[in-house]
Amino acid sequence: MFGQQNLPPGAGGPGPDIANTGEVIASYTEYAGAQRAVDYLSDHEFPVQNSAIVGADLRLVENVLGRLTAGKAAASGAASGAWFGLMIGLFLGIFAVRAHSWLWLVLWGLLWGIAAGALFGWLGYKALGGRRDFVSTSQIVASRYDVVVRPDLAERARNLVGRLDL
């Protein structure tokens, strides 16, 4: 996510202790609310490196988008293969002596990429043997997001976030 850094403890980041030993100053049902609270603290010059957003009661949500068939698997593979083949064709085209040769290399790379991608997409579908005949997306969601700060800064943070909710 934009703006996130994974810093080792003691390297300017809060380390893992804030989430476990900090005090909850506010809870939100959506991540955007917790993010807004931390942004508000930052805007008011609160030392946000001493805070954390902790998702609680995590669950995996898988949204089923539709049925997967051999044709759809081949089409998806062909689309991916087209991009790969185009990239290879463009790369080989750099070494072409004439513009006419460059165009043919790009076209052949695209066509071979489509064919190989479709074949591999179809083979991958058949290899599953009907065990997963659907397409889906997955995400991890929390039932609430707590804003947690170091205990010695909790009162100040609570006062600031209280003004945000007004």
Side-chain angles (χ1 to χ4, degrees):
M1 190 170 293
F2 181 76
Q4 282 185 324
Q5 295 179 12
N6 293 324
L7 299 172
D17 295 314
I18 300 246
N20 295 323
T21 62
E23 234 178 89
V24 177
I25 60 148
S27 292
Y28 299 89
T29 56
E30 294 184 11
Y31 178 77
Q35 190 176 24
R36 193 176 102 222
V38 173
D39 186 50
Y40 186 81
L41 290 171
S42 178
D43 291 345
H44 289 83
E45 299 185 15
F46 181 85
V48 290
Q49 67 272 19
N50 296 298
S51 65
I53 298 174
V54 180
D57 300 325
L58 300 179
R59 62 185 182 180
L60 174 68
V61 177
E62 184 172 8
N63 293 311
V64 178
L65 303 175
R67 180 168 162 67
L68 181 64
T69 63
K72 287 181 183 177
S76 177
S80 297
W83 284 109
F84 184 72
L86 182 64
M87 183 180 67
I88 296 298
L90 287 169
F91 177 73
L92 292 175
I94 293 172
F95 303 107
V97 178
R98 290 178 248 141
H100 175 69
S101 299
W102 178 85
L103 183 61
W104 279 110
L105 284 169
V106 171
L107 185 61
W108 275 110
L110 180 65
L111 292 175
W112 278 105
I114 290 171
L119 176 66
F120 285 119
W122 182 80
L123 286 172
Y125 173 81
K126 288 299 183 181
L128 289 175
R131 286 188 303 270
R132 188 165 168 96
D133 286 350
F134 62 92
V135 179
S136 65
T137 61
S138 298
Q139 66 185 68
I140 295 176
V141 293
S143 63
R144 76 173 191 279
Y145 299 90
D146 297 331
V147 178
V148 179
V149 300
R150 240 178 41 203
D152 58 318
L153 298 170
E155 191 61 35
R156 179 177 167 209
R158 229 181 253 111
N159 290 337
L160 283 169
V161 170
R163 284 190 254 155
L164 169 68
D165 293 334
L166 296 177

